[in-house]
């Protein structure tokens, strides 16, 4: 059984932020920023891409509501909501989860996008996606 299934089953302790019959939200142990929370479907899916659309929708709806609550109550200045799917994208725990990361002015967390647009022709990319 994976580590998040064990948390869902109560075999491993966690700091519970929210729970309903489909999802559990807990504080991330790493606390990339204060209030860093994970929304975890109770059913096991290796990645978000393996999960059914109802599970994905519900998990993101909960993430959106919790993001508002966390932003207000922790006086955050912004929020990153993100999902890593597969190792190449930074996924380390192979049980779908959504990160809610509160952001504070002048915090030192780096989530950066490099501009690689010079490498690609957008029409070619579009055609490849829709082939
Ligand atoms: P990811 O890299 O997207 O797979 O994120 C996995 C996250 O799970 C990391 O931010 C870890 O800090 C977090 N994590 C791992 N084990 C635990 C645990 N037992 N309780 C809470 N968070 C955990
Ligand atoms: Zn699992």
């Amino acid at each position: 059984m994976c580590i998040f299934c064990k948390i869902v089953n109560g075999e491993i302790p966690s700091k519970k932020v929210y729970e309903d019959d489909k999802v559990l939200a807990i504080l991330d142990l790493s606390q990339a920023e204060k209030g860093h929370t994970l929304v975890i479907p109770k059913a096991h899916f290796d990645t978000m891409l393996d999960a059914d659309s109802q599970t994905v929708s519900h998990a993101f709806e909960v993430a959106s509501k919790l993001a508002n609550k966390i932003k207000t109550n922790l006086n955050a200045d912004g929020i990153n909501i993100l999902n890593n799917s597969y190792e190449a994208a930074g996924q380390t725990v192979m049980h779908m989860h959504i990160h809610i990361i509160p952001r504070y002015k002048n915090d030192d967390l780096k989530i950066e996008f490099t501009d690689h647009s010079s490498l690609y022709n957008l029409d070619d990319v579009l055609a490849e996606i829709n082939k």
Side-chain angles (χ1 to χ4, degrees):
M1 193 186 289
C2 90
I3 186 167
F4 284 178
C5 282
K6 286 182 180 165
I7 288 174
V8 167
N9 287 343
E11 290 174 44
I12 293 179
S14 65
K15 300 291 182 196
K16 207 175 285 184
V17 176
Y18 170 85
E19 182 172 22
D20 64 26
D21 57 335
K22 299 275 183 233
V23 301
L24 177 67
I26 62 169
L27 289 182
D28 190 303
L29 276 183
S30 72
Q31 292 295 288
E33 293 296 341
K34 180 184 166 191
H36 182 179
T37 296
L38 300 174
V39 180
I40 304 170
K42 288 187 169 178
H44 180 97
F45 301 96
D46 283 355
T47 79
M48 191 184 86
L49 305 189
D50 302 304
D52 58 276
S53 60
Q54 269 190 323
T55 299
V56 174
S57 309
H58 182 63
F60 272 95
E61 191 179 350
V62 168
S64 166
K65 286 182 178 151
L66 284 179
N68 272 297
K69 182 177 180 182
I70 289 167
K71 182 175 180 293
T72 300
N73 290 349
L74 296 186
N75 289 312
D77 301 302
I79 296 272
N80 290 115
I81 295 179
L82 63 92
N83 165 264
N84 300 324
S85 289
Y86 295 93
E87 203 179 325
Q91 185 175 3
T92 59
V93 176
M94 295 305 285
H95 177 133
M96 176 195 161
H97 51 280
I98 300 167
H99 293 262
I100 302 170
I101 307 177
R103 301 302 302 270
Y104 303 91
K105 274 178 198 145
N106 304 318
D107 70 33
D108 61 1
L109 185 62
K110 296 269 173 282
I111 301 176
E112 286 177 339
F113 298 98
T114 307
D115 185 345
H116 285 139
S117 58
S118 62
L119 301 177
Y120 306 107
N121 175 293
L122 293 190
D123 290 325
D124 291 345
V125 175
L126 201 53
E128 200 172 341
I129 289 172
N130 290 319
K131 71 188 167 199

Short mmCIF file of all heavy atoms in Angstrom, two decimals, residues 1-6 43-45 94-95, ligand 2:
data_model
loop_
_atom_site.label_atom_id
_atom_site.label_comp_id
_atom_site.label_asym_id
_atom_site.label_seq_id
_atom_site.Cartn_x
_atom_site.Cartn_y
_atom_site.Cartn_z
N MET A 1 0.85 -1.20 0.00
CA MET A 1 0.00 0.00 0.00
C MET A 1 0.88 1.25 0.00
O MET A 1 1.89 1.28 0.70
CB MET A 1 -0.88 0.00 1.25
CG MET A 1 -1.99 1.01 1.22
SD MET A 1 -2.90 1.08 2.78
CE MET A 1 -3.77 -0.47 2.74
N CYS A 2 0.51 2.28 -0.75
CA CYS A 2 1.37 3.47 -0.85
C CYS A 2 1.21 4.36 0.38
O CYS A 2 0.28 4.22 1.17
CB CYS A 2 1.08 4.24 -2.14
SG CYS A 2 -0.20 5.50 -2.01
N ILE A 3 2.14 5.30 0.53
CA ILE A 3 2.18 6.12 1.75
C ILE A 3 0.91 6.96 1.93
O ILE A 3 0.42 7.12 3.06
CB ILE A 3 3.46 6.98 1.77
CG1 ILE A 3 3.60 7.71 3.10
CG2 ILE A 3 3.53 7.94 0.62
CD1 ILE A 3 4.95 8.34 3.33
N PHE A 4 0.35 7.47 0.82
CA PHE A 4 -0.86 8.29 0.97
C PHE A 4 -2.08 7.41 1.25
O PHE A 4 -2.99 7.84 1.97
CB PHE A 4 -1.08 9.18 -0.26
CG PHE A 4 -0.15 10.39 -0.30
CD1 PHE A 4 -0.18 11.27 -1.37
CD2 PHE A 4 0.76 10.65 0.73
CE1 PHE A 4 0.66 12.38 -1.41
CE2 PHE A 4 1.61 11.76 0.70
CZ PHE A 4 1.56 12.61 -0.38
N CYS A 5 -2.12 6.18 0.72
CA CYS A 5 -3.20 5.25 1.10
C CYS A 5 -3.11 4.95 2.59
O CYS A 5 -4.14 4.87 3.28
CB CYS A 5 -3.11 3.96 0.29
SG CYS A 5 -3.75 4.13 -1.40
N LYS A 6 -1.89 4.82 3.11
CA LYS A 6 -1.72 4.57 4.55
C LYS A 6 -2.19 5.77 5.38
O LYS A 6 -2.76 5.60 6.45
CB LYS A 6 -0.26 4.23 4.88
CG LYS A 6 0.13 2.83 4.44
CD LYS A 6 1.56 2.51 4.82
CE LYS A 6 1.90 1.09 4.36
NZ LYS A 6 3.33 0.83 4.37
N ALA A 43 -9.37 7.36 -2.99
CA ALA A 43 -9.09 6.22 -3.87
C ALA A 43 -7.70 6.38 -4.46
O ALA A 43 -7.24 7.51 -4.69
CB ALA A 43 -10.13 6.16 -4.98
N HIS A 44 -7.00 5.27 -4.67
CA HIS A 44 -5.64 5.35 -5.21
C HIS A 44 -5.64 5.47 -6.74
O HIS A 44 -6.18 4.62 -7.44
CB HIS A 44 -4.82 4.11 -4.82
CG HIS A 44 -3.43 4.17 -5.37
ND1 HIS A 44 -2.36 4.61 -4.63
CD2 HIS A 44 -2.94 3.91 -6.61
CE1 HIS A 44 -1.27 4.60 -5.39
NE2 HIS A 44 -1.61 4.17 -6.60
N PHE A 45 -5.03 6.53 -7.22
CA PHE A 45 -4.68 6.67 -8.64
C PHE A 45 -3.22 7.05 -8.66
O PHE A 45 -2.82 7.98 -7.95
CB PHE A 45 -5.52 7.76 -9.32
CG PHE A 45 -7.00 7.52 -9.26
CD1 PHE A 45 -7.77 8.11 -8.26
CD2 PHE A 45 -7.63 6.68 -10.17
CE1 PHE A 45 -9.14 7.88 -8.18
CE2 PHE A 45 -9.00 6.44 -10.09
CZ PHE A 45 -9.75 7.04 -9.10
N MET A 94 3.63 8.49 -5.74
CA MET A 94 2.80 8.04 -6.86
C MET A 94 1.38 7.74 -6.41
O MET A 94 0.88 6.61 -6.56
CB MET A 94 3.45 6.84 -7.55
CG MET A 94 4.79 7.17 -8.21
SD MET A 94 4.71 8.54 -9.40
CE MET A 94 3.90 7.75 -10.77
N HIS A 95 0.74 8.73 -5.85
CA HIS A 95 -0.70 8.71 -5.53
C HIS A 95 -1.14 10.14 -5.78
O HIS A 95 -0.62 11.07 -5.15
CB HIS A 95 -0.90 8.28 -4.06
CG HIS A 95 -2.33 8.27 -3.58
ND1 HIS A 95 -2.88 7.21 -2.87
CD2 HIS A 95 -3.30 9.21 -3.68
CE1 HIS A 95 -4.14 7.49 -2.57
NE2 HIS A 95 -4.42 8.71 -3.04
ZN1 LIG B 2 -2.22 5.21 -2.71
#
